[in-house]
């Protein structure tokens, strides 16, 4: 998977942006920012447009609730 691609982690059920690789694992960051997590490439698939948009909207809503 390319850096910057949005993927669905089938183990956690989360959408993440590929930040790079650490050994055999992908490093994913939540769409709205936050702590990265490791994901096996076998457990990742490209996120659909709908999944990506849903994650972006949820991140924007969370940001607006924090008053930023």
């Amino acid at each position: 998977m390319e850096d910057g691609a949005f993927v669905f982690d089938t183990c956690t059920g989360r959408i993440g942006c590929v930040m790079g690789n650490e050994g055999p694992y992908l490093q994913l960051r939540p769409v709205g920012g936050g702590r990265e997590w490791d994901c096996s490439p076998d457990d990742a698939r490209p996120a659909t447009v709908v999944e990506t948009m849903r994650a972006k909207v949820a991140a924007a809503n969370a940001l607006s609730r924090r008053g930023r």
Side-chain angles (χ1 to χ4, degrees):
M1 305 265 170
E2 291 184 18
D3 289 359
F6 291 100
V7 299
F8 182 81
D9 180 348
T10 60
C11 286
T12 64
R14 297 168 66 189
I15 303 289
C17 181
V18 177
M19 302 306 292
N21 293 2
E22 183 67 33
Y25 297 99
L26 296 173
Q27 292 211 298
L28 304 180
R29 177 167 287 160
V31 174
R35 188 178 186 140
E36 293 179 356
W37 77 95
D38 293 335
C39 174
S40 169
D42 294 336
D43 296 327
R45 64 163 175 78
T48 66
V49 173
V50 171
E51 290 168 336
T52 302
M53 186 61 72
R54 187 177 293 140
K56 288 180 177 182
V57 168
N61 286 341
L63 187 63
S64 71
R65 283 192 296 272
R66 284 185 254 165
R68 292 189 178 172

